[in-house]
mmCIF file of all heavy atoms in Angstrom:
data_model
loop_
_atom_site.group_PDB
_atom_site.id
_atom_site.type_symbol
_atom_site.label_atom_id
_atom_site.label_comp_id
_atom_site.label_asym_id
_atom_site.label_seq_id
_atom_site.Cartn_x
_atom_site.Cartn_y
_atom_site.Cartn_z
ATOM 1 N N GLU A 33 7.079 -2.255 5.552
ATOM 2 C CA GLU A 33 6.237 -1.917 6.708
ATOM 3 C C GLU A 33 5.425 -0.665 6.368
ATOM 4 O O GLU A 33 5.968 0.347 5.938
ATOM 5 C CB GLU A 33 7.120 -1.683 7.926
ATOM 6 C CG GLU A 33 6.358 -1.665 9.243
ATOM 7 C CD GLU A 33 5.624 -0.359 9.506
ATOM 8 O OE1 GLU A 33 6.188 0.707 9.182
ATOM 9 O OE2 GLU A 33 4.497 -0.419 10.024
ATOM 10 N N PHE A 35 3.789 1.982 7.763
ATOM 11 C CA PHE A 35 4.027 3.358 8.206
ATOM 12 C C PHE A 35 5.353 3.885 7.665
ATOM 13 O O PHE A 35 5.480 5.072 7.359
ATOM 14 C CB PHE A 35 3.969 3.449 9.734
ATOM 15 C CG PHE A 35 2.573 3.554 10.268
ATOM 16 C CD1 PHE A 35 1.839 2.416 10.557
ATOM 17 C CD2 PHE A 35 1.973 4.795 10.454
ATOM 18 C CE1 PHE A 35 0.535 2.511 11.037
ATOM 19 C CE2 PHE A 35 0.672 4.905 10.932
ATOM 20 C CZ PHE A 35 -0.049 3.752 11.222
ATOM 21 N N GLU A 80 -3.321 14.325 11.423
ATOM 22 C CA GLU A 80 -4.053 13.063 11.379
ATOM 23 C C GLU A 80 -5.263 13.114 10.451
ATOM 24 O O GLU A 80 -5.586 12.128 9.780
ATOM 25 C CB GLU A 80 -4.451 12.650 12.793
ATOM 26 C CG GLU A 80 -3.233 12.358 13.675
ATOM 27 C CD GLU A 80 -3.595 11.844 15.057
ATOM 28 O OE1 GLU A 80 -4.756 11.425 15.260
ATOM 29 O OE2 GLU A 80 -2.711 11.864 15.946
ATOM 30 N N GLU A 193 9.742 10.432 11.048
ATOM 31 C CA GLU A 193 10.170 9.042 11.169
ATOM 32 C C GLU A 193 10.020 8.557 12.600
ATOM 33 O O GLU A 193 9.592 7.420 12.845
ATOM 34 C CB GLU A 193 11.624 8.916 10.719
ATOM 35 C CG GLU A 193 12.138 7.490 10.683
ATOM 36 C CD GLU A 193 13.528 7.386 10.079
ATOM 37 O OE1 GLU A 193 13.879 8.222 9.234
ATOM 38 O OE2 GLU A 193 14.260 6.461 10.476
ATOM 39 N N SER A 194 10.342 9.433 13.545
ATOM 40 C CA SER A 194 10.205 9.086 14.959
ATOM 41 C C SER A 194 8.735 8.958 15.358
ATOM 42 O O SER A 194 8.343 8.007 16.042
ATOM 43 C CB SER A 194 10.892 10.149 15.822
ATOM 44 O OG SER A 194 10.707 9.883 17.196
ATOM 45 N N ILE A 195 7.908 9.891 14.898
ATOM 46 C CA ILE A 195 6.483 9.872 15.232
ATOM 47 C C ILE A 195 5.810 8.622 14.684
ATOM 48 O O ILE A 195 4.983 7.985 15.359
ATOM 49 C CB ILE A 195 5.789 11.135 14.687
ATOM 50 C CG1 ILE A 195 6.222 12.357 15.495
ATOM 51 C CG2 ILE A 195 4.268 10.993 14.720
ATOM 52 C CD1 ILE A 195 5.715 13.666 14.944
ATOM 53 N N TYR A 196 6.166 8.237 13.463
ATOM 54 C CA TYR A 196 5.520 7.093 12.824
ATOM 55 C C TYR A 196 5.888 5.767 13.498
ATOM 56 O O TYR A 196 5.274 4.737 13.211
ATOM 57 C CB TYR A 196 5.870 7.051 11.341
ATOM 58 C CG TYR A 196 5.019 7.973 10.490
ATOM 59 C CD1 TYR A 196 4.466 9.128 11.030
ATOM 60 C CD2 TYR A 196 4.779 7.693 9.158
ATOM 61 C CE1 TYR A 196 3.704 9.972 10.258
ATOM 62 C CE2 TYR A 196 4.001 8.531 8.367
ATOM 63 C CZ TYR A 196 3.465 9.681 8.928
ATOM 64 O OH TYR A 196 2.696 10.517 8.163
ATOM 65 N N LYS A 197 6.862 5.796 14.375
ATOM 66 C CA LYS A 197 7.225 4.598 15.127
ATOM 67 C C LYS A 197 6.532 4.540 16.484
ATOM 68 O O LYS A 197 6.602 3.515 17.169
ATOM 69 C CB LYS A 197 8.741 4.544 15.324
ATOM 70 C CG LYS A 197 9.522 4.308 14.039
ATOM 71 C CD LYS A 197 11.015 4.318 14.300
ATOM 72 C CE LYS A 197 11.811 4.088 13.020
ATOM 73 N NZ LYS A 197 13.284 4.146 13.262
ATOM 74 N N GLU A 198 5.863 5.631 16.866
ATOM 75 C CA GLU A 198 5.202 5.683 18.170
ATOM 76 C C GLU A 198 3.926 4.843 18.163
ATOM 77 O O GLU A 198 3.061 5.020 17.301
ATOM 78 C CB GLU A 198 4.871 7.133 18.535
ATOM 79 C CG GLU A 198 6.097 8.007 18.762
ATOM 80 C CD GLU A 198 5.720 9.445 19.042
ATOM 81 O OE1 GLU A 198 4.495 9.748 19.069
ATOM 82 O OE2 GLU A 198 6.623 10.272 19.229
ATOM 83 N N ASN A 199 3.792 3.956 19.114
ATOM 84 C CA ASN A 199 2.638 3.071 19.165
ATOM 85 C C ASN A 199 1.325 3.831 19.308
ATOM 86 O O ASN A 199 0.312 3.460 18.703
ATOM 87 C CB ASN A 199 2.785 2.070 20.310
ATOM 88 C CG ASN A 199 3.858 1.036 20.043
ATOM 89 O OD1 ASN A 199 4.136 0.705 18.892
ATOM 90 N ND2 ASN A 199 4.473 0.516 21.097
ATOM 91 N N ASP A 200 1.309 4.898 20.127
ATOM 92 C CA ASP A 200 0.074 5.657 20.328
ATOM 93 C C ASP A 200 -0.388 6.307 19.029
ATOM 94 O O ASP A 200 -1.587 6.275 18.698
ATOM 95 C CB ASP A 200 0.283 6.734 21.400
ATOM 96 C CG ASP A 200 0.415 6.145 22.797
ATOM 97 O OD1 ASP A 200 0.072 4.958 22.970
ATOM 98 O OD2 ASP A 200 0.866 6.865 23.712
ATOM 99 N N PHE A 201 0.529 6.899 18.290
ATOM 100 C CA PHE A 201 0.177 7.535 17.011
ATOM 101 C C PHE A 201 -0.339 6.486 16.024
ATOM 102 O O PHE A 201 -1.388 6.675 15.390
ATOM 103 C CB PHE A 201 1.396 8.250 16.421
ATOM 104 C CG PHE A 201 1.154 8.831 15.055
ATOM 105 C CD1 PHE A 201 0.511 10.047 14.911
ATOM 106 C CD2 PHE A 201 1.564 8.150 13.915
ATOM 107 C CE1 PHE A 201 0.277 10.584 13.646
ATOM 108 C CE2 PHE A 201 1.327 8.676 12.647
ATOM 109 C CZ PHE A 201 0.689 9.897 12.522
ATOM 110 N N ARG A 202 0.365 5.394 15.916
ATOM 111 C CA ARG A 202 -0.035 4.344 14.989
ATOM 112 C C ARG A 202 -1.416 3.792 15.336
ATOM 113 O O ARG A 202 -2.246 3.568 14.449
ATOM 114 C CB ARG A 202 1.009 3.220 15.000
ATOM 115 C CG ARG A 202 2.366 3.644 14.461
ATOM 116 C CD ARG A 202 3.458 2.681 14.891
ATOM 117 N NE ARG A 202 3.356 1.402 14.265
ATOM 118 C CZ ARG A 202 4.083 1.014 13.200
ATOM 119 N NH1 ARG A 202 4.948 1.854 12.659
ATOM 120 N NH2 ARG A 202 3.951 -0.179 12.693
ATOM 121 N N GLN A 203 -1.657 3.589 16.617
ATOM 122 C CA GLN A 203 -2.937 3.036 17.032
ATOM 123 C C GLN A 203 -4.081 3.994 16.736
ATOM 124 O O GLN A 203 -5.164 3.568 16.305
ATOM 125 C CB GLN A 203 -2.901 2.706 18.530
ATOM 126 C CG GLN A 203 -4.079 1.871 19.007
ATOM 127 C CD GLN A 203 -4.176 0.528 18.299
ATOM 128 O OE1 GLN A 203 -3.164 -0.095 17.990
ATOM 129 N NE2 GLN A 203 -5.398 0.085 18.030
ATOM 130 N N ARG A 204 -3.879 5.292 16.954
ATOM 131 C CA ARG A 204 -4.927 6.274 16.647
ATOM 132 C C ARG A 204 -5.273 6.241 15.165
ATOM 133 O O ARG A 204 -6.450 6.297 14.783
ATOM 134 C CB ARG A 204 -4.484 7.684 17.046
ATOM 135 C CG ARG A 204 -4.450 7.944 18.525
ATOM 136 C CD ARG A 204 -4.452 9.437 18.828
ATOM 137 N NE ARG A 204 -3.363 10.141 18.163
ATOM 138 C CZ ARG A 204 -2.130 10.273 18.659
ATOM 139 N NH1 ARG A 204 -1.843 9.713 19.825
ATOM 140 N NH2 ARG A 204 -1.197 10.943 18.012
ATOM 141 N N ILE A 205 -4.254 6.171 14.318
ATOM 142 C CA ILE A 205 -4.492 6.159 12.880
ATOM 143 C C ILE A 205 -5.223 4.890 12.463
ATOM 144 O O ILE A 205 -6.197 4.922 11.704
ATOM 145 C CB ILE A 205 -3.151 6.279 12.113
ATOM 146 C CG1 ILE A 205 -2.470 7.621 12.409
ATOM 147 C CG2 ILE A 205 -3.383 6.116 10.611
ATOM 148 C CD1 ILE A 205 -3.262 8.832 11.979
ATOM 149 N N ILE A 206 -4.777 3.765 12.977
ATOM 150 C CA ILE A 206 -5.385 2.483 12.611
ATOM 151 C C ILE A 206 -6.845 2.422 13.050
ATOM 152 O O ILE A 206 -7.712 1.916 12.326
ATOM 153 C CB ILE A 206 -4.577 1.328 13.238
ATOM 154 C CG1 ILE A 206 -3.221 1.202 12.536
ATOM 155 C CG2 ILE A 206 -5.347 0.007 13.159
ATOM 156 C CD1 ILE A 206 -2.266 0.244 13.213
ATOM 157 N N GLU A 207 -7.141 2.943 14.229
ATOM 158 C CA GLU A 207 -8.510 2.904 14.733
ATOM 159 C C GLU A 207 -9.453 3.787 13.922
ATOM 160 O O GLU A 207 -10.647 3.499 13.828
ATOM 161 C CB GLU A 207 -8.539 3.341 16.198
ATOM 162 C CG GLU A 207 -7.925 2.310 17.150
ATOM 163 C CD GLU A 207 -7.880 2.809 18.581
ATOM 164 O OE1 GLU A 207 -8.224 3.996 18.813
ATOM 165 O OE2 GLU A 207 -7.498 2.018 19.474
ATOM 166 N N MET A 216 -2.249 -2.579 7.265
ATOM 167 C CA MET A 216 -1.458 -3.189 8.330
ATOM 168 C C MET A 216 -1.758 -4.685 8.456
ATOM 169 O O MET A 216 -0.849 -5.500 8.638
ATOM 170 C CB MET A 216 -1.734 -2.490 9.660
ATOM 171 C CG MET A 216 -1.086 -1.126 9.817
ATOM 172 S SD MET A 216 0.733 -1.200 9.776
ATOM 173 C CE MET A 216 1.075 -2.290 11.163
#
Side-chain angles (χ1 to χ4, degrees):
E33 194 282 321
F35 278 88
E80 296 184 16
E193 185 173 331
S194 176
I195 289 174
Y196 278 28
K197 292 178 180 178
E198 294 177 1
N199 289 332
D200 289 345
F201 175 81
R202 294 162 69 99
Q203 192 60 36
R204 288 199 305 274
I205 297 298
I206 289 171
E207 289 176 354
M216 285 297 301

